[in-house]
Amino acid sequence: SNRGLSDLRAINGNADSTVILDRSARTIVRFTVGSASTTTSIVTSSMDPAAAVTDQFKNRVVIFDKDTTTANLRGQSADITASTSGGVLTCSALTTAPVSGDTGVIL
């Protein structure tokens, strides 16, 4: 129906909101944890977009997916205090060290 198509073009009747939503979604970084992480150092095996420079992700927040491998990290978040160009994130202390295969986002 035309109603469904118009809903895709506007949120709450505001056509600009879909553009804003798209831009905000493109700022979210997806990551997968590699090996040798600790409660304050997350070693990533992949990031999208990839890390390119030191402190690229500093002052952002890491949030683990609700279905990540490590149950104790599901939904947990931490502030990123530093990051390397190789994708290692230094963060405030997590309750549990992430393991290889854990997943999440950086906001």
Side-chain angles (χ1 to χ4, degrees), residues 5-77:
L5 183 57
S6 106
D7 287 347
L8 290 174
R9 294 184 185 144
I11 298 172
N12 202 25
N14 181 346
D16 291 335
S17 60
T18 56
V19 172
I20 294 166
L21 179 61
D22 176 60
R23 285 186 181 169
S24 67
R26 287 186 283 147
T27 66
I28 297 170
V29 177
R30 298 268 333 136
F31 71 89
T32 302
V33 175
S35 58
S37 293
T38 69
T39 58
T40 58
S41 179
I42 302 169
V43 179
T44 63
S45 62
S46 68
M47 297 176 83
D48 183 21
V53 296
T54 299
D55 287 338
Q56 179 177 352
F57 302 107
K58 184 177 180 177
N59 298 322
R60 294 185 75 176
V61 174
V62 62
I63 303 173
F64 286 89
D65 291 337
K66 68 180 181 178
D67 60 353
T68 196
T69 302
T70 305
N72 290 348
L73 292 176
R74 294 177 181 167
Q76 192 169 154
S77 65

Side-chain angles (χ1 to χ4, degrees), residues 79-97:
D79 296 324
I80 299 171
T81 57
S83 65
T84 69
S85 60
V88 177
L89 309 171
T90 302
C91 63
S92 53
L94 298 161
T95 60
T96 306

